[in-house]
Amino acid sequence: MRLSVIGCGYLGAVHAAAMASIGHDVVGIDVDAEKVDALSRGLAPFFEPDLQKLLEAGAASGRLHFTTDIAAAAGADVHFLAVGTPQQRGAHAADLTYVDEAVEALIPHLRPGDVVAGKSTVPVGTAARLAPLVEATGAQLAWNPEFLREGWAVKDTIEPDRLVIGVGPDASAAVSALRRVYAPAVAAGTPFIVTDWATAELVKVAANAFLATKISFINAMAEIAEVTGADVTQLADALGHDARIGRRFLGAGIGFGGGCLPKDIRAFAARAEELGRGDSVAFLREVDAINLRRRDRAVELVVEGLGGSVFEKRVTLLGAAFKPYSDDIRDSPALDVAARLRGLGADVTVTDPAALDNARRQHPQLSYVDDRDEAIRGADAIVLVTEWDAYRRELTPEHASTLTDGRVVVDGRNGWDAAGWRAAGWTYLGMGRP
Ligand code: UGA
C-alpha cells in the first residue's frame, strides 16, 4: 500500500521505516529539514536499536522516502498522524497544536476513500473533533494508538502485542485498510480490536496511566520500606509471583520519566477535569507526586552517603537518558537528580553511552565524560541512575575500587547487588532497601 507518515520523531520515523520493511511504499513527512535530511540519507536522527538498519534497507529498496513537503502525502491510501503532543507550557493539558496543524496541512491533499489514522497520544474527544474536517474531503478518520516502548520501538511496531483501531460510524473501509496495512501482524494472530474513537484514545492513556501507577505503587512501598527496614526489591519479587500482580513495572527506584508517562498522566487528569470527572483520576496526581519525591530521595541518599553535604564533592552519575537503550532525555529522572546535586554545590560528572549530546544541550552547566571509567575516576560517590548494561551488569565493585578512593554508591535503580558492593568495602545505599 502507499502510506504517508506525518511527523518523524521517535514514533513516526520508526513507524515509517517499519512499514516500508513489511513491504509498503512510505513517505515520511516532517517540518524539520535537518531530520528529513538525515532520514533521507538513511541515518537515524536518534538512538533506537535496529532503526538504522531499517532506514538503510528502506532507502535501498526505494520504498522509503522522507520530505518536508506535505504535498507528497497526496496519493497515499493511509495517512498516519505521528506528531508530538507535548505538555502545554504552564499547564498540565496536552498541546494539540502539532496535531491540528498536521490535519489542516493534510486536508488539501486527501482524496475520497483515503484513511487518516491518528497515532499521536491525544485527549479523549480529539478524533471526534477532527472527524468533520477529514470527512468533508471524503476521507475517513481512524484512531490507531501506538504502544511502542523506546529502545524496543522497531520490534514493538512490527510485532505489536495488540492493534487498536478506533473508528466512527460506517467506517468499515478504514478498518479494512488498516487490516491490510498490518497484514503480517494480523496473520500472526495479533489481537485486532475495532472500537470507537473515544475507547481507542482512552486505551492509550489508560495503559500509560496504569503503568505509571504500578511504578509509583512500588515506589510508595519503597517509602514505607525506608522507615521499617524492609527491602522493596524482595517485596516486589514476592508480590510479582502473584500472576494477578506480575513483577514487571515493579522496579522501585528514581521513578519514571520520558516523553510519555509523565505528560500523559498529567494530560489525562487535565482532560478528566474538563469532562467533570477530575475525581475519577485524582489518584494520578498522587502517582506524579510519589514519582517526583523519589528524585528528592536519591539526592538525600547522596548527601547522606557523603556525610551530610555534597558541597565540592565529586559525584558521578551513571546515566543521563530516562531509561537504557534510548538517548531520550525528556523529563529524565537521571538529569533531574544530576542538576539538583549540582544545585547543592556538588562537582557533578555525567556519563551515558547514548544521551550525552542531548544532555549537554539541555544542561550545559554539568560536566560530561564519554568514557565510563574516566567519569568514575576520583569520584567521591557514584550514582546509578540509568540501568545501562555497562553500569548495572558490567561495572563491578572490584573494578570501581581501582578507579577511585571514594567508597559510596547510591543505587537509584536498585540494579546492583548490595551485598557484593558492601563486601568490597563500599557504602551501598539503595532506594527502599536497608
Ligand atoms: C511508555 C510505555 O511503556 C509504552 O507502552 C508507550 O507506548 C510509550 O510510553 C508511549 O506512550 O509512547 P517508554 O516511555 O518508552 O514507554 O518507557 P517505559 O519503558 O514505559 O519506561 C518509562 C519510565 O519508567 C522509564 O523512566 C523507566 O526507567 C521507568 N520504570 C519502568 C521504572 O521506574 N520502573 C519500572 O519497573 C519500569
Side-chain angles (χ1 to χ4, degrees):
M1 297 172 81
R2 294 183 64 186
L3 312 177
S4 80
V5 179
I6 296 142
C8 294
Y10 286 95
L11 164 59
V14 174
H15 192 69
M19 292 301 105
S21 81
I22 60 171
H24 299 300
D25 225 313
V26 186
V27 60
I29 302 168
D30 199 289
V31 292
D32 181 341
E34 219 173 291
K35 196 182 285 174
V36 163
D37 182 52
L39 289 164
S40 300
R41 288 186 290 127
L43 300 172
F46 49 85
F47 178 91
E48 183 62 52
D50 298 333
L51 176 59
Q52 183 74 38
K53 240 173 25 203
L54 245 55
L55 288 171
E56 285 165 14
S61 70
R63 284 197 307 270
L64 180 61
H65 299 277
F66 293 94
T67 176
T68 53
D69 183 7
I70 188 75
D77 308 300
V78 180
H79 308 268
F80 288 99
L81 301 174
V83 294
T85 52
Q87 187 174 333
Q88 282 177 14
R89 243 173 226 283
H92 277 182
D95 177 354
L96 293 178
T97 312
Y98 303 117
V99 172
D100 291 344
E101 285 175 0
V103 171
E104 198 184 314
L106 182 60
I107 295 280
H109 308 290
L110 294 176
R111 301 166 306 183
D114 282 7
V115 175
V116 176
K119 294 202 80 65
S120 307
T121 302
V122 291
V124 56
T126 303
R129 176 173 66 77
L130 297 173
L133 299 171
V134 171
E135 287 168 357
T137 68
Q140 290 189 343
L141 179 67
W143 218 265
N144 167 217
E146 178 56 58
F147 305 100
L148 67 80
R149 299 157 296 169
E150 287 178 28
W152 304 93
V154 168
K155 185 179 177 298
D156 286 350
T157 304
I158 296 176
E159 299 165 31
D161 47 18
R162 78 285 213 193
L163 289 157
V164 176
I165 315 292
V167 289
D170 308 322
S172 53
V175 174
S176 52
L178 286 162
R179 213 186 281 279
R180 280 171 58 212
V181 168
Y182 296 119
V186 172
T190 307
F192 188 88
I193 299 152
V194 177
T195 182
D196 53 85
W197 290 316
T199 305
E201 291 164 329
L202 270 176
V203 173
K204 171 67 194 193
V205 288
N208 277 0
F210 190 87
L211 294 171
T213 303
K214 203 171 174 191
I215 297 168
S216 278
F217 175 83
I218 202 64
N219 278 328
M221 296 305 106
E223 292 184 334
I224 303 296
E226 276 154 11
V227 292
T228 53
D231 185 331
V232 75
T233 60
Q234 290 182 359
L235 174 70
D237 290 344
L239 289 174
H241 287 298
D242 184 330
R244 295 169 304 173
I245 298 174
R247 180 65 173 83
R248 296 174 75 187
F249 276 68
L250 283 185
I254 56 170
F256 59 82
C260 303
L261 262 45
K263 66 112 176 150
D264 286 354
I265 59 171
R266 291 171 197 153
F268 192 9
R271 182 65 182 136
E273 287 284 351
E274 286 172 5
L275 294 166
R277 287 288 184 275
D279 286 351
S280 308
V281 292
F283 66 91
L284 291 177
R285 274 197 288 274
E286 211 53 54
V287 165
D288 202 3
I290 294 166
N291 190 52
L292 296 176
R293 282 206 297 272
R294 299 316 283 164
R295 302 177 185 190
D296 300 336
R297 176 64 184 160
V299 172
E300 263 169 41
L301 286 177
V302 180
V303 172
E304 187 185 314
L306 289 174
S309 169
V310 294
F311 189 70
E312 291 185 351
K313 294 282 174 57
R314 298 184 62 180
V315 182
T316 295
L317 279 283
L318 300 179
F322 83 105
K323 67 173 196 179
Y325 315 110
S326 171
D327 65 354
D328 194 347
I329 57 155
R330 287 176 293 172
D331 204 344
S332 169
L335 284 176
D336 200 3
V337 170
R340 290 185 202 199
L341 287 166
R342 159 87 196 190
L344 295 175
D347 176 0
V348 176
T349 298
V350 178
T351 187
D352 190 285
L356 288 195
D357 286 344
N358 288 339
R360 259 187 213 106
R361 274 192 290 274
Q362 196 182 76
H363 291 281
Q365 80 280 20
L366 302 172
S367 304
Y368 297 98
V369 173
D370 284 298
D371 183 72
R372 180 198 71 185
D373 287 2
E374 279 315 306
I376 292 173
R377 207 174 291 284
D380 296 306
I382 304 171
V383 192
L384 176 63
V385 277
T386 312
E387 64 277 37
W388 289 94
D389 283 349
Y391 312 145
R392 187 170 80 91
R393 290 182 197 281
E394 293 158 21
L395 178 67
T396 63
E398 292 73 24
H399 182 64
S401 300
T402 66
L403 300 170
T404 179
D405 294 331
R407 286 290 179 273
V408 176
V409 282
V410 173
D411 187 354
R413 293 294 183 178
N414 288 340
W416 280 327
D417 168 34
W421 283 89
R422 288 185 181 132
W426 289 75
T427 297
Y428 170 96
L429 300 168
M431 306 281 300
R433 308 179 84 177

